[in-house]
Amino acid sequence: MNTAADAGRGPDRRALLRGALGLTVALGTAAAVNLGSASRASAYGWTRTLQQGSTGSDVKELQIRIGGWAASSAQQTYVAWDGDFGPATYNAVRRFQSAYGLIADGVVGPQTQSVLNSLESADGSTAHFEWSEFYSHDGSGFSGGKVGSAEVKENVRRLMYKLEAVRKKAGNSAITINSGFRSTSYNASVGGASNSMHVYGDAADIVVSGHTTLQVYKIAETCGFSGLEAYTHSWQHVDSRVQYPSYGSGSWWWESGAV
C-alpha cells in the first residue's frame, strides 16, 4: 500500500517502478519494452506473444495478472486460471490494455508484457502491496491456516493482482488491508466462519481511500470476485471462492446482490 506517510521518504523501488510505468504510457508503447526490462531485472520471463488459442503455463500466469479485469460492469464472472487463452481472457486483456493506455487488441506482446511486469515486485508481491500487509494478525505470518504456507502465499499473490485492478479502477487510490490471511486460531478468536476464505489466503477486508464501501463493492463486482460481503460495513470483504472449489466454498456469494 502507498499512503500519505510515504511522502516524506526518498524514492524506493516501487516508486521508481511506478514512475517507469507512467513514463511508458506517456511515451507510448514503443518505449514499453526497454522501460520494463530496465526496471525489472527479475521480471517474469515472457518468451512469446500470447493470443486467443494459446495454451500453457504462461497463459495461466497472464490470467492471474489480468483476473481483476474480468468484466466491464457488475457480472458474476471470472477469468479462469486454466492456461487456455479463450474469449474471457481475451476480453480481460483488452480491458487491461485500455486502462493502461495500450492498443486494446487482446494480443499480449512485448508492450503489454512490459506493463504486466511493471505490476510485479522482485519479491513476488505486486507494485502496491507487500506480503506483510496480508500476514495473520497473531504473528504467524502465512502459517497455521487450512493449507500450507506456500499455498497461502500463492493465493495471496493472486488476490494481490485482483486488488491491483481495484486500485486502478478506483483512480489509483491507496488500499488499506484490514485483514488478509488468518491462521485458524486467529480466525476463531475474531469470530470468523470456520471455513472462511481468510484461512486459505484468498480473502481481504479492504478500505479504499476516498471511496465509500458501496463504491468499492461496485468496483469489486467487475473484478472477478465471487465473494463480496455486504457494503454496510466500514470495510469491503472480497474473495474468489468459486475459483477454489476444493476449499468447499464453490458458490457465488454477493451478500448485497448485484448493485
Side-chain angles (χ1 to χ4, degrees):
M1 180 188 71
N2 92 7
T3 66
D6 295 324
R9 299 201 302 237
D12 61 11
R13 169 176 51 82
R14 292 172 187 248
L16 291 172
L17 182 147
R18 290 193 292 272
L21 175 57
L23 182 57
T24 298
V25 174
L27 293 177
T29 56
V33 178
N34 290 337
L35 284 171
S37 59
S39 65
R40 293 289 305 123
S42 60
Y44 183 80
W46 308 100
T47 60
R48 58 174 177 154
T49 293
L50 303 177
Q51 56 193 328
Q52 282 204 79
S54 298
T55 59
S57 60
D58 50 358
V59 174
K60 182 176 180 179
E61 182 62 27
L62 168 68
Q63 291 167 331
I64 289 169
R65 296 183 181 216
I66 51 89
W69 299 91
S72 56
S73 59
Q75 190 174 352
Q76 292 189 343
T77 189
Y78 60 87
V79 178
W81 303 315
D82 59 6
D84 187 353
F85 199 134
T89 302
Y90 170 79
N91 289 325
V93 167
R94 291 190 64 202
R95 294 183 193 102
F96 175 89
Q97 291 171 325
S98 179
Y100 284 93
L102 301 167
I103 297 172
D105 58 5
V107 177
V108 185
Q111 289 78 30
T112 299
Q113 291 164 1
S114 178
V115 178
L116 286 167
N117 279 359
S118 75
L119 293 176
E120 172 191 355
S121 290
D123 65 357
S125 61
T126 64
H128 299 101
F129 299 97
E130 302 279 1
W131 295 118
S132 58
E133 295 180 80
F134 295 82
Y135 286 168
S136 182
H137 290 322
D138 61 355
S140 60
F142 289 148
S143 300
K146 287 205 169 183
V147 293
S149 58
E151 187 168 344
V152 167
K153 189 172 184 179
E154 174 59 17
N155 293 345
V156 168
R157 186 179 78 93
R158 298 181 185 199
L159 175 60
M160 284 178 171
Y161 277 107
K162 286 192 176 183
L163 291 176
E164 288 285 353
V166 172
R167 191 183 191 282
K168 185 70 172 177
K169 294 176 186 182
N172 295 314
S173 297
I175 295 178
T176 298
I177 310 299
N178 282 354
S179 182
F181 168 69
R182 299 174 185 166
S183 67
T184 54
S185 59
Y186 178 73
N187 182 64
S189 74
V190 297
S194 61
N195 204 41
S196 167
M197 296 307 287
H198 284 282
V199 300
Y200 300 98
D202 173 50
D205 297 340
I206 65 174
V207 174
V208 181
S209 179
H211 291 69
T212 66
T213 311
L214 173 57
Q215 290 171 326
V216 178
Y217 187 101
K218 288 180 177 180
I219 292 171
E221 289 180 304
T222 72
C223 295
F225 290 115
S226 42
L228 297 176
E229 193 170 5
Y231 57 76
T232 52
H233 304 288
S234 59
W235 70 88
Q236 181 59 58
H237 170 98
V238 295
D239 69 56
S240 301
R241 60 186 60 206
V242 167
Q243 292 180 261
Y244 296 95
S246 64
Y247 296 165
S249 300
S251 59
W252 286 83
W253 177 65
W254 286 10
E255 192 173 14
S256 293
V259 179

